[in-house]
Amino acid sequence: MEMKDKIFKLKGKVQHYAWGGYKYIPSLLGINIGEHQPCAEYWLGAHPSASARVLFDDGTSKPLYNLVQDDPTSFINDEVYTNFHELPYLLKILDVNEMLSIQVHPSKEEAHKGFEKEEAAGILINAPHRNYKDKNHKPEVMVALSEFWLLHGFKNEGLLKKVLHEIEAFNFLEPVFEKEGYYGLYKYVMEMPQQQVDEILSPLIKRLQEHPGKFLKTEPGYWALKVFEKGQPLQNIDRGIFSIYFFNIMQVQPGEAVFQGAGIPHAYLQGQNVELMANSDNVLRGGLTPKHIDVPELLKHTLFKPVEPVVLKGEAKPGGELNYPCPVADFGISAIKLQKGESYQAESKSAEIFIVIEGEITIDPKGLHLYKGEAFIILPGISYKISSVSDALAYKAYVP
């Protein structure tokens, strides 16, 4: 493979999940989807269920997944293949218009055990009650592209006690938390009969609905009301409402990042981001969803400790690179921010996937010209130079 043939344009896959927005991703990609189809995620990776396609100079294209399987040495290098047997990361753009489900991701060891157990039980891989779709963990990092809101881990003890004391509907939970801590409290509400959930949360929601414009996004009441903004009846109430009150509400500004490791319960609430994760689809859900919730499995893998939210500002590197350090071997992420006429030079040690968020750039030695919304892959073992035709912002995913 010649040097110039180590750089290719990449075409990702749009995912039309119901929680997605209608404008951001079509506008970024310069495509017309139609007003009635939400665009939630844009996948740029080699996941077998929705692989990006590599665009060759002769006009043909092939799924990146197949190219990695057929020629791992050229596409991801021998060391990465030995360690992971695949491209170990998945890069996405997300447009969160409606709240996502509360989620916990298992550790690598537990994911492997859970997958083997469900395989042995004969549970189909696409069964709605299947927990483990693969043997991998799913740590993830998000970098905000807009003001972004999310739930992230349990509040500290003082704040959580304050919530249980000040919210009348939750007063009965004070002795539970006092005696049994985070685990006992969460187990209590997650195992509570649905009738009792309705009896507790229905009066709370009714009181919130009396003052719909009163709450700020920093307050749980804002997001609890959002669950009912389409006029849903106050029955079979989603017990994820408890988590909205128990977890930290984070506000992240454009260019700031949040890392989420195994066991930390979290949920995206609103906004757009770049998300990078291990190449996995293992999700244990805890509410704000009509999908399957396996409470015993969820309790087994949730981190029952207070979490002090950490916002990553990024570490400045030479040539306009802002790196966000992540404590995993599967992936790394950097923003490349260049003013008109500036350039960034590097050598690819692994397969590197880029997406241009703003402006125009060229990549040498290929002389490839790319605009906002376009993506490309640089294969391992090449020195390259990115030059900005206008003020530009791109994100780079790689294996550290």
Side-chain angles (χ1 to χ4, degrees):
M1 196 175 277
E2 295 175 33
M3 181 179 284
K4 68 181 178 63
D5 293 323
K6 288 199 169 194
I7 303 173
F8 303 98
K9 281 191 177 181
L10 205 58
K11 186 176 176 61
K13 169 82 173 167
V14 177
Q15 302 282 25
H16 302 284
Y17 308 136
W19 50 261
Y22 293 85
K23 294 179 181 176
Y24 183 81
I25 289 175
S27 174
L28 176 68
L29 302 179
I31 55 177
N32 185 9
I33 297 284
E35 291 182 16
H36 304 297
Q37 195 170 25
C39 296
E41 299 184 351
Y42 184 57
W43 286 28
L44 288 163
H47 196 281
S49 71
S51 177
R53 296 187 74 86
V54 175
L55 310 181
F56 295 107
D57 295 341
D58 62 4
T60 61
S61 70
K62 284 188 177 178
L64 180 57
Y65 172 79
N66 297 77
L67 292 165
V68 169
Q69 296 299 311
D70 295 344
D71 188 4
T73 299
S74 296
F75 277 85
I76 59 173
N77 84 28
D78 291 332
E79 185 184 352
V80 171
Y81 187 72
T82 300
N83 289 337
F84 298 101
H85 303 291
E86 63 178 358
L87 181 70
Y89 63 77
L90 176 58
L91 180 66
K92 299 178 179 180
I93 301 293
L94 268 65
D95 182 13
V96 180
N97 187 45
E98 295 179 13
M99 294 184 286
L100 273 69
S101 59
I102 292 160
Q103 303 181 5
V104 169
H105 304 306
S107 68
K108 198 159 197 167
E109 182 186 356
E110 291 299 330
H112 193 278
K113 287 195 288 193
F115 180 86
E116 296 293 358
K117 185 178 177 183
E118 291 188 332
E119 286 289 283
I123 302 172
L124 295 176
I125 202 77
N126 58 352
H129 63 292
R130 174 112 189 193
N131 292 314
Y132 299 93
K133 304 295 176 71
D134 50 65
K135 299 177 185 179
N136 207 5
H137 62 166
K138 195 186 175 189
E140 55 197 22
V141 63
M142 55 139 283
V143 186
L145 294 172
S146 67
E147 179 183 85
F148 198 89
W149 295 86
L150 67 153
L151 300 175
H152 177 82
F154 284 98
K155 284 178 160 72
N156 69 45
E157 192 172 331
L159 288 175
L160 187 46
K161 281 182 175 179
K162 189 167 183 271
V163 166
L164 299 180
H165 184 71
E166 291 182 356
I167 305 295
E168 190 181 341
F170 298 161
N171 289 169
F172 78 103
L173 292 170
E174 286 186 87
V176 177
F177 185 51
E178 199 67 49
K179 185 180 176 185
E180 300 176 43
Y182 287 93
Y183 177 84
L185 176 71
Y186 196 61
K187 183 175 188 288
Y188 191 95
V189 299
M190 291 305 294
E191 292 182 346
M192 190 184 288
Q194 184 61 49
Q195 183 182 344
Q196 191 182 353
V197 172
D198 290 353
E199 288 170 359
I200 293 162
L201 294 181
S202 182
L204 173 64
I205 300 301
K206 281 178 183 172
R207 275 198 295 276
L208 295 176
Q209 288 174 334
E210 290 170 6
H211 310 283
K214 176 188 169 186
F215 300 97
L216 301 172
K217 289 183 178 181
T218 52
E219 299 175 288
Y222 178 92
W223 302 105
L225 271 177
K226 197 167 168 60
V227 176
F228 296 90
E229 65 183 355
K230 293 178 181 173
Q232 296 93 321
L234 293 179
Q235 57 192 51
N236 290 319
I237 297 174
D238 194 313
R239 65 191 67 222
I241 300 281
F242 289 109
S243 294
I244 291 174
Y245 283 87
F246 296 171
F247 296 169
N248 296 298
I249 297 172
M250 288 187 73
Q251 178 187 13
V252 190
Q253 298 302 332
E256 296 179 341
V258 179
F259 177 82
Q260 306 194 109
I264 293 185
H266 62 278
Y268 290 162
L269 300 175
Q270 193 176 70
Q272 292 88 33
N273 70 29
V274 178
E275 186 181 55
L276 184 62
M277 60 182 62
N279 195 32
S280 170
D281 202 20
N282 284 328
V283 177
L284 301 166
R285 294 180 178 86
L288 303 183
T289 179
K291 293 182 179 178
H292 173 64
I293 297 175
D294 185 333
V295 172
E297 202 66 20
L298 178 72
L299 294 173
K300 189 164 44 164
H301 299 293
T302 299
L303 183 69
F304 290 106
K305 293 179 181 177
V307 172
E308 200 60 48
V310 176
V311 175
L312 304 173
K313 304 283 188 179
E315 295 179 356
K317 304 281 186 183
E321 179 178 6
L322 190 67
N323 180 254
Y324 300 91
C326 298
V328 290
D330 309 65
F331 58 75
I333 188 167
S334 288
I336 311 297
K337 193 166 189 175
L338 303 172
Q339 293 184 331
K340 183 178 179 179
E342 292 182 335
S343 61
Y344 166 77
Q345 298 187 58
E347 181 182 347
S348 57
K349 302 287 197 298
S350 67
E352 299 181 355
I353 292 178
F354 290 76
I355 181 165
V356 182
I357 300 296
E358 296 168 10
E360 295 175 48
I361 59 172
T362 57
I363 303 100
D364 291 310
K366 181 133 181 179
L368 197 60
H369 202 94
L370 292 115
Y371 299 87
K372 172 184 170 180
E374 292 192 296
F376 59 100
I377 184 169
I378 299 180
L379 303 190
I382 178 175
S383 294
Y384 63 89
K385 179 180 176 182
I386 295 175
S387 304
S388 56
V389 180
S390 64
D391 291 356
L393 172 65
Y395 281 90
K396 172 176 95 167
Y398 60 95
V399 184

